[in-house]
Amino acid sequence: SISIATGHHAALVPPTVLFLAKSPLIDQFDLSSLEDVSSGAAPLGEDLAKTLTERIPSIKWFRQGNRKL
């Protein structure tokens, strides 16, 4: 597999969260170092945040604006 995330934090816009949560292309990459995700620019549903954290179980914190989901 190819590692694209060596940092622990990613600041993402909602379309990128949707891509990471749903795209089969992501299975090619090692995102296991990703622990902290922040999303902004538009509201994001808790269901999408949950889908992302289930897909990438190393994510311990998911923040939207000032709140943790």
Side-chain angles (χ1 to χ4, degrees):
S1 77
I2 301 168
S3 176
I4 60 168
T6 56
H8 299 285
H9 177 79
L12 307 171
V13 294
T16 306
V17 173
L18 178 63
F19 177 78
L20 289 172
K22 307 273 182 167
S23 175
L25 295 174
I26 295 307
D27 296 334
Q28 306 174 55
F29 301 98
D30 178 7
L31 299 174
S32 62
S33 67
L34 189 57
E35 296 179 354
D36 185 5
V37 173
S38 300
S39 181
L44 184 70
E46 286 188 44
D47 56 332
L48 185 54
K50 183 179 177 190
T51 300
L52 179 64
T53 57
E54 288 172 350
R55 180 135 194 226
I56 306 172
S58 62
I59 297 174
K60 297 175 183 154
W61 296 100
F62 192 103
R63 295 177 178 85
Q64 180 173 322
N66 311 21
R67 62 186 182 133
K68 298 176 189 172
L69 297 177

